[in-house]
């Protein structure tokens, strides 16, 4: 095979691979939702594995909510306030027959906000509720109005945001300070376009790249046989 032909084949392969990979990256998108976190004994936040209507925290627990845009639950932003029960509930004395749950409610940044809305300030609250109350009940006691969708996904806290619920957003994530293994009190990993959770090319894209390479190698071998 002549050098010009070999160079042309190589350029064709590189161009095809870049085109396919570019298509995979363009499919990446995020989701805007309230994620649900649990305080890890004062050491930090842990993404909750169950929804707030199911979790029934013990007296002295700290529960967190963060509104943000993320590609999936693995890169969701944590609440920007440490889970400190003593600081949140210092002004709320214990009362017989009730438990105290510290709540950190972080509406996120302007980059996370839906168009036309401004996130309210981060706030904390100490809910004093029945011993068997869930996190959702504790939240309702201090942060009404809450809004849920038909599948019981938490859509709004204290009326924010006014509309929307776990909707997909185009382009890159708007979250600027994701801090760890994020959790969603709502949105799970889902991507109808087949993009992987980290925004990289999907299995289908990689298969396409492999097919292009195989065809290119076959063309080179066939050209060599004809020499």
């Amino acid at each position: 095979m002549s050098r010009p032909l070999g160079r042309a084949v190589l350029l064709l392969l590189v161009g095809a691979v870049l085109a396919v990979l570019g298509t995979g990256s363009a499919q990446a998108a995020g989701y805007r939702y309230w994620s649900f976190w649990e305080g890890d004994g004062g050491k930090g936040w842990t993404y909750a594995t169950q929804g707030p209507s199911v979790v029934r925290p013990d007296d002295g627990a700290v529960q967190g909510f963060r509104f943000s845009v993320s590609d999936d639950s693995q890169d969701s932003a944590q609440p920007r306030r440490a889970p400190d029960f003593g600081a949140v509930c210092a002004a709320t004395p214990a009362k017989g027959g009730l438990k105290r749950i510290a709540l950190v409610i972080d509406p996120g940044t302007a980059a996370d906000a839906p168009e036309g809305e401004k996130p309210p300030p981060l706030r904390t609250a100490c809910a004093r509720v029945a011993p068997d109350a869930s996190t959702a009940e504790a939240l309702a006691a201090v942060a009404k109005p809450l809004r849920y969708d038909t599948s019981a996904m938490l859509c709004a806290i204290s009326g924010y945001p006014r509309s929307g619920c776990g909707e997909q957003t185009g382009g890159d994530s708007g979250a600027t300070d994701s801090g760890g293994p994020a959790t969603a009190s709502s949105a799970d990993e889902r991507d109808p376009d087949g993009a992987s959770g980290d925004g990289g090319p999907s299995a289908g894209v990689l298969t396409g790249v492999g097919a292009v390479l195989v065809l290119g190698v076959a063309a080179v071998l066939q050209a060599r046989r004809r020499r």
Side-chain angles (χ1 to χ4, degrees), residues 27 32 44 69 93 97 103 143 158 173 178 182 198 203 219 226:
Q27 293 176 347
R32 181 180 286 115
V69 175
L103 296 165
S158 297
S173 166
S178 67
D198 59 2
R226 291 174 178 172

Side-chain angles (χ1 to χ4, degrees), residues 16-122:
V17 170
L18 291 177
V20 174
L21 289 176
T23 299
S25 298
Q27 293 176 347
Y31 297 89
R32 181 180 286 115
Y33 62 93
W34 281 99
S35 57
F36 173 38
W37 301 78
E38 296 184 279
D40 188 13
K43 300 177 182 178
W45 293 106
T46 299
Y47 194 83
T49 58
Q50 296 177 302
S53 62
V54 176
V55 175
R56 299 183 183 280
D58 296 328
D59 178 75
V62 185
Q63 310 279 273
F65 294 87
R66 171 66 192 267
F67 189 77
S68 67
V69 175
S70 62
D71 294 335
D72 57 43
S73 65
Q74 298 306 308
D75 74 346
S76 183
Q78 297 181 358
R80 295 169 295 169
R81 182 71 57 84
D84 187 338
F85 176 82
V88 176
C89 289
T92 306
K95 187 175 182 180
L98 298 173
K99 65 181 179 182
R100 291 179 298 166
I101 306 300
L103 296 165
V104 176
I105 304 167
D106 185 350
T109 67
D112 300 315
E115 185 176 358
E117 295 200 53
K118 180 180 178 181
L122 182 153

Side-chain angles (χ1 to χ4, degrees), residues 104-180:
V104 176
I105 304 167
D106 185 350
T109 67
D112 300 315
E115 185 176 358
E117 295 200 53
K118 180 180 178 181
L122 182 153
R123 59 174 291 213
T124 62
C126 187
R128 200 158 49 185
V129 291
D132 63 344
S134 66
T135 300
E137 291 171 316
L139 185 64
V142 297
K144 288 181 179 179
L146 305 180
R147 177 166 55 85
Y148 292 88
D149 69 2
T150 55
S151 62
M153 175 176 172
L154 179 61
C155 304
I157 297 177
S158 297
Y160 180 78
R162 293 190 299 268
S163 62
C165 194
E167 68 273 14
Q168 185 175 10
T169 63
D172 296 333
S173 166
T176 58
D177 58 350
S178 67

